[in-house]
Amino acid sequence: MPVVQRLAAAALLAALPTVHAANAAHAADHPPTNLQARTWAATCASCHHADTAPGAKLPAQTLPPLAGRSQAELIDTMQAFRSGARPSTVMGQIARGYDDAQIAAIAGWLSRQPQEGP
């Protein structure tokens, strides 16, 4: 690898911590929007039917619906999956992809959705 490319790569690697810190500071000053929360929560719907109320009749082997559940319950559950305190096959991997602000935003959006029953 030519010297110029090595220097450029080293400069980029040296800048990464600064970029990460800047992104973290920006996230602290700008909490997630409702649209962002809705977009993140949409990924839950394919398995959890996020628009269906707890207790509603769903096809066999469907995971529990999330609409209208307590925000605190949803946050606690996601954090338990993320930390590994609650065993899972897939949810631990998914939860590790979100930070605390994103989890709170997703939980808040889901908790505000109407519970539609049969």
Side-chain angles (χ1 to χ4, degrees):
M1 178 186 289
V3 173
V4 173
Q5 287 178 335
R6 278 189 257 158
L7 289 173
L12 285 173
L13 288 174
L16 285 177
T18 305
V19 170
H20 179 70
N23 285 341
H26 176 76
D29 292 338
H30 303 285
T33 65
N34 193 47
L35 178 59
Q36 287 171 314
R38 184 180 73 176
T39 301
W40 294 325
T43 62
C44 307
S46 62
C47 296
H48 286 279
H49 299 275
D51 59 346
T52 307
K57 185 173 180 169
L58 296 171
Q61 299 186 10
T62 300
L63 298 174
L66 303 174
R69 290 190 180 228
S70 147
Q71 182 177 9
E73 174 194 2
L74 292 168
I75 289 171
D76 288 346
T77 302
M78 283 291 286
Q79 289 176 340
F81 280 130
R82 187 175 65 186
S83 72
R86 184 170 177 169
S88 69
T89 55
V90 176
M91 281 304 304
Q93 296 170 26
I94 293 170
R96 281 190 291 278
Y98 296 108
D99 63 27
D100 287 340
Q102 291 170 320
I103 288 174
I106 293 166
W109 191 86
L110 288 169
S111 70
R112 293 187 301 272
Q113 300 315 298
Q115 295 182 2
E116 298 175 14

